[in-house]
């Protein structure tokens, strides 16, 4: 039961999450079962085995499809498992155009596993949509992008790329992990498939992994549902339940993430020890107008550049409230050093080409009091 006429916050609380018809429980029950009793041979209530289907998972898939404005959704055991499922749309000889600075795990999967099946990839800077057009071949079947990119927060015009894809009859997928559907809904702008690591903002509490593919056509459910059943990389009922719980507060969390993100970015931008801040919400961000046009806010992901590796190390040693760690999108503020953490495997040459310096620090701003976060960064910057 979807209620598309309601606003986002209402749908986040209710869609897919109606009270349990049997007991009236206001939360979707956690169906910890591998199998289901069948009434007679060939007759069951719609579920026969939990790899193929589970009511807690169904609820989460209905919720996420509604929030992204898609037709359906399939959840997987992690974001990477979701991207692997996306790849099953392709056959030997097919070609993919991919953003050159997508999540490192995505390029690792494509370049070290998927290429072995005769699928080809071209990586381009999608911040200029014409680069996508130039890379398209007769065998191109998919264009996969991420916007904003990690960690330099470069944007891609989703509608412009979607238009190019559709002129050529190619599907476009968008990894929307950094924004969440509260702040950006690529399907409204023409994307065919939206992917998330639910590990991040959707779950929101840094306590579980997961991934989702939101589709726009019935064939997406058929295909990705078949992948769930056939390859088995499903999300467990417990993790589904955690994400269902997380999604109920998505709107309020994202409002606070966005407000804090703007305040922290503004603080960093005026600090004399900070060379540069990368945050689309700042008027000086070269794509600020695009950010305003295609998103409903700027979010809480940002990076900033300090003088040197030594300065970055000292800052990361000195913060007391911000937690040094990988990942993002949780209620707590996480701070990290891309060159030695998320982008260590990228290699120095590629990092230099992308502009990821040794003095770069990334922040996933949480929902604490912005003043406390600013005070923490201020005392740590004072040590440099
Ligand atoms: C974390 C992340 C992934 C991978 O998701 P996992 O849940 O860790 O497998 C993919 N894309 C982006 C943008 C991410 O941040």
């Amino acid at each position: 039961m979807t209620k598309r006429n309601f606003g986002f916050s209402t749908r986040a609380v209710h869609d897919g999450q109606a009270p349990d018809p049997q007991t009236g429980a206001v939360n979707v029950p956690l169906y910890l079962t591998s199998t289901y009793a069948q009434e007679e041979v060939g007759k069951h209530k719609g579920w026969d085995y939990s790899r193929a289907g589970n009511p807690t998972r169904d609820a989460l898939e209905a919720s996420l499809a509604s929030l992204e404005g898609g037709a359906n959704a399939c959840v997987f055991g992690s974001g990477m498992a979701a991207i692997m499922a996306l790849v099953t749309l392709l056959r030997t000889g097919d070609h993919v155009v991919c953003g050159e600075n997508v999540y490192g795990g995505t390029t690792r999967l494509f370049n070290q596993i998927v290429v072995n099946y005769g699928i080809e990839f071209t990586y381009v800077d999608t911040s200029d949509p014409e680069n996508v057009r130039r890379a398209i071949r007769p065998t191109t079947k998919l264009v996969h992008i991420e916007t904003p990119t990690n960690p330099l927060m470069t944007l891609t015009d989703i509608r412009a790329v979607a238009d190019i894809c559709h002129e050529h009859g190619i599907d476009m997928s968008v990894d929307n992990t950094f924004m969440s559907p509260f702040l950006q809904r690529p399907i409204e702008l023409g994307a065919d498939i939206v992917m998330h690591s639910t590990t991040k903002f959707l779950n929101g509490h840094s306590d579980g992994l997961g991934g989702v593919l939101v589709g726009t056509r019935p064939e997406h459910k058929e295909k990705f549902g078949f992948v769930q059943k056939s390859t088995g990389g499903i999300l467990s009922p417990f993790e589904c339940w955690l994400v269902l719980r997380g999604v109920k507060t998505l709107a309020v969390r994202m409002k606070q993430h966005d407000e804090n993100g703007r305040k922290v970015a503004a603080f960093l931008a005026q600090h004399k020890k900070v060379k540069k801040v990368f945050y689309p919400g700042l008027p000086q961000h070269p794509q600020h107008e695009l950010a305003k046009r295609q998103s409903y806010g700027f979010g809480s992901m940002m990076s900033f550049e300090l003088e040197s590796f030594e300065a970055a190390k000292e800052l990361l040693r000195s913060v007391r409230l911000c937690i040094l760690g990988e990942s993002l999108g949780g209620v707590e503020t996480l701070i990290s050093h891309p060159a030695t953490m998320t982008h260590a495997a990228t290699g120095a040459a590629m990092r230099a080409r992308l502009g990821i310096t040794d003095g770069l620090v990334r922040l996933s701003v949480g929902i604490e009091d912005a003043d406390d976060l600013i005070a923490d960064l201020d005392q740590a910057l004072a040590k440099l």
Side-chain angles (χ1 to χ4, degrees):
M1 184 181 56
T2 51
K3 312 181 187 99
R4 285 173 192 282
N5 46 330
F6 289 126
F8 187 96
S9 304
T10 306
R11 286 182 290 126
V13 174
H14 293 286
D15 276 11
Q17 308 213 47
D20 177 38
Q22 198 181 344
T23 62
V26 294
N27 292 302
V28 173
L30 174 49
Y31 287 93
L32 291 174
T33 190
S34 58
T35 189
Y36 304 83
Q38 306 196 7
E39 287 147 61
E40 56 180 274
V41 172
K43 191 160 175 237
H44 56 68
K45 297 184 196 310
W47 296 275
D48 55 6
Y49 189 64
S50 269
R51 175 156 34 73
N54 177 285
T56 314
R57 195 167 95 210
D58 293 349
L60 177 61
E61 290 173 343
S63 164
L64 298 181
S66 166
L67 296 181
E68 279 291 355
N72 50 60
C74 286
V75 292
F76 297 90
S78 67
M80 290 324 303
I83 296 183
M84 190 60 220
L86 175 68
V87 165
T88 65
L89 292 176
L90 305 166
R91 294 278 176 278
T92 300
D94 286 348
H95 173 248
V96 177
V97 178
C98 184
E100 68 174 354
N101 194 19
V102 296
Y103 183 70
T106 303
T107 46
R108 180 175 57 205
L109 171 67
F110 290 171
N111 296 342
Q112 296 186 45
I113 295 179
V114 182
V115 288
N116 297 330
Y117 296 85
I119 294 161
E120 293 187 287
F121 294 87
T122 302
Y123 296 93
V124 299
D125 175 0
T126 57
S127 68
D128 179 357
E130 288 308 310
N131 289 337
V132 173
R133 188 194 301 280
R134 278 190 283 272
I136 288 173
R137 304 176 189 170
T139 52
T140 306
K141 291 285 155 56
L142 183 72
V143 172
H144 179 73
I145 70 152
E146 219 172 285
T147 178
T149 60
N150 175 30
L152 292 173
M153 307 303 290
T154 304
L155 305 187
T156 291
D157 186 330
I158 298 171
R159 191 185 292 282
V161 173
D163 287 347
I164 292 169
C165 291
H166 297 153
E167 272 172 44
H168 294 81
I170 298 166
D171 273 353
M172 179 198 191
S173 54
V174 179
D175 183 336
N176 201 30
T177 301
F178 264 41
M179 294 298 274
S180 90
F182 181 76
L183 292 174
Q184 180 169 281
R185 294 191 279 281
I187 290 170
E188 290 175 358
L189 301 166
D192 300 282
I193 296 166
V194 167
M195 175 265 156
H196 278 276
S197 165
T198 65
T199 310
K200 317 296 167 49
F201 288 103
L202 285 170
N203 185 53
H205 294 72
S206 307
D207 52 11
L209 268 72
V212 65
L213 293 176
V214 179
T216 51
R217 302 193 292 271
E219 75 201 52
H220 292 140
K221 186 71 182 175
E222 282 161 34
K223 179 81 195 182
F224 300 135
F226 187 72
V227 174
Q228 287 177 316
K229 183 165 84 173
S230 304
T231 70
I234 50 157
L235 193 62
S236 78
F238 181 64
E239 256 93 10
C240 290
W241 184 85
L242 283 177
V243 181
L244 279 168
R245 182 181 167 134
V247 156
K248 285 192 181 184
T249 58
L250 182 67
V252 287
R253 283 189 287 110
M254 293 315 297
K255 282 178 201 167
Q256 189 72 24
H257 278 298
D258 185 54
E259 187 184 315
N260 285 0
R262 294 174 198 231
K263 287 182 180 164
V264 170
F267 162 75
L268 291 170
Q270 57 75 48
H271 200 286
K272 60 183 187 308
K273 287 185 182 157
V274 175
K275 277 170 68 183
K276 191 166 181 199
V277 182
F278 300 87
Y279 181 68
L282 291 171
Q284 60 266 37
H285 187 284
Q287 296 164 302
H288 180 60
E289 290 306 316
L290 174 60
K292 284 202 285 194
R293 194 164 73 235
Q294 76 176 7
S295 306
Y296 299 100
F298 307 113
S300 70
M301 297 304 300
M302 69 191 68
S303 59
F304 57 99
E305 206 166 280
L306 299 173
E307 207 55 58
S308 63
F309 182 35
E310 287 315 310
K313 265 210 311 217
E314 183 60 32
L315 180 91
L316 295 173
R317 221 182 351 251
S318 305
V319 286
R320 294 181 192 138
L321 183 58
C322 303
I323 298 170
L324 176 61
E326 292 195 6
S327 198
L328 59 114
V331 292
E332 64 287 310
T333 296
L334 287 167
I335 193 162
S336 63
H337 184 243
T340 58
M341 295 168 72
T342 51
H343 288 67
T346 307
M350 185 63 179
R351 282 200 302 276
R353 202 163 85 70
L354 295 172
I356 301 169
T357 63
D358 288 349
L360 194 75
V361 174
R362 188 186 80 177
L363 267 180
S364 167
V365 177
I367 63 168
E368 302 96 334
D369 287 299
D371 289 346
D372 291 336
L373 296 171
I374 289 169
D376 187 37
L377 291 165
D378 198 29
Q379 65 82 23
L381 285 165
K383 303 222 166 89
L384 308 186

